[in-house]
Amino acid sequence: AQKVTQAQTEISVVEKEDVTLDCVYETRDTTYYLFWYKQPPSGELVFLIRRNSFDEQNEISGRYSWNFQKSTSSFNFTITASQVVDSAVYFCALSEVGDYKLSFGAGTTVTVRA
Amino acid sequence: EPEVTQTPSHQVTQMGQEVILRCVPISNHLYFYWYRQILGQKVEFLVSFYNNEISEKSEIFDDQFSVERPDGSNFTLKIRSTKLEDSAMYFCASSVLQALNEKLFFGSGTQLSVL
């Protein structure tokens, strides 16, 4: 069974548009962590954020914001006023108790056109 | 910021050949990992390594795979006899601890092409 589902395969926007990436996860644990990683064209995986299961406060970091809702098992990511440099593949990932490895979603490719 | 370094960035090999992918984790990190990403698919865990032994491995990590920390800085992944389906991007990662909230630092990957 998929632990992390990113239903959107590709999203294409024009610069300055907002874009929201969906992430739905599945776990039986009450303690877990959620992550977002960015994979730019250069290939590396860049950590963006982690969130623990007890902290449902939304977080904003510059143009990035995250909306964590336990009731719907979702951890969505919004890029406000997108820029060409935001073009990348974005991965949502889950870390569960006793299973410290990351379970990644399939990723969403974001293309921002000038 | 310190980074995980992987070499080579691209490796082409013939089916049946042995390959060694190399990684230099961040110097004060204690836990090391290999993940792989087949083209167009999700990133998958292969193996974690701590204190000179494997701490966890996935089903993918069969007898054809091995990992080693030959010295104080390098961490290697060896594929003994490559198959076509081993073609993927291989990511090395490291972390200070192994904990739920631990941030993994990933390298930029080695693209392995098996012909």
Side-chain angles (χ1 to χ4, degrees), chain B residues 97-109:
Chain B
L97 302 170
Q98 187 173 57
L100 280 185
N101 64 334
E102 191 64 16
K103 172 179 160 183
L104 266 60
F105 289 78
F106 285 86
S108 46

Side-chain angles (χ1 to χ4, degrees), chain A residues 25-98:
Chain A
Y25 62 92
E26 185 180 326
T27 179
R28 294 183 179 178
D29 292 342
T30 53
T31 303
Y32 52 88
Y33 275 79
L34 295 159
F35 299 78
W36 276 95
Y37 279 84
K38 174 182 179 180
Q39 185 180 35
S42 49
E44 73 275 23
L45 287 165
V46 179
F47 168 85
L48 294 178
I49 189 172
R50 67 176 159 233
R51 210 86 185 121
N52 77 59
S53 51
F54 298 107
D55 183 0
E56 287 193 70
Q57 281 199 343
N58 291 333
E59 181 156 342
I60 298 175
S61 175
R63 295 184 296 106
Y64 294 171
S65 61
W66 290 269
N67 183 336
F68 176 30
Q69 294 198 338
K70 279 178 86 166
S71 59
T72 55
S73 297
S74 66
F75 185 44
N76 296 337
F77 171 33
T78 298
I79 303 172
T80 303
S82 60
Q83 299 175 2
V84 172
V85 294
D86 296 325
S87 296
V89 183
Y90 291 87
F91 292 96
C92 181
L94 168 71
S95 176
E96 300 170 282
V97 171

Side-chain angles (χ1 to χ4, degrees), chain B residues 39-55:
Chain B
L39 184 64
Q41 298 185 24
K42 64 175 63 178
V43 179
E44 303 172 290
F45 169 79
L46 291 179
V47 66
S48 59
F49 190 85
Y50 168 70
N51 199 25
N52 281 319
E53 56 183 41
I54 291 174
S55 47

Side-chain angles (χ1 to χ4, degrees), chain A residues 42-45, chain B residues 4-6 9 89-92 106-110:
Chain A
S42 49
E44 73 275 23
L45 287 165
Chain B
V4 175
T5 307
Q6 288 186 245
S9 57
M89 177 77 91
Y90 287 81
F91 290 102
C92 175
F106 285 86
S108 46
T110 293

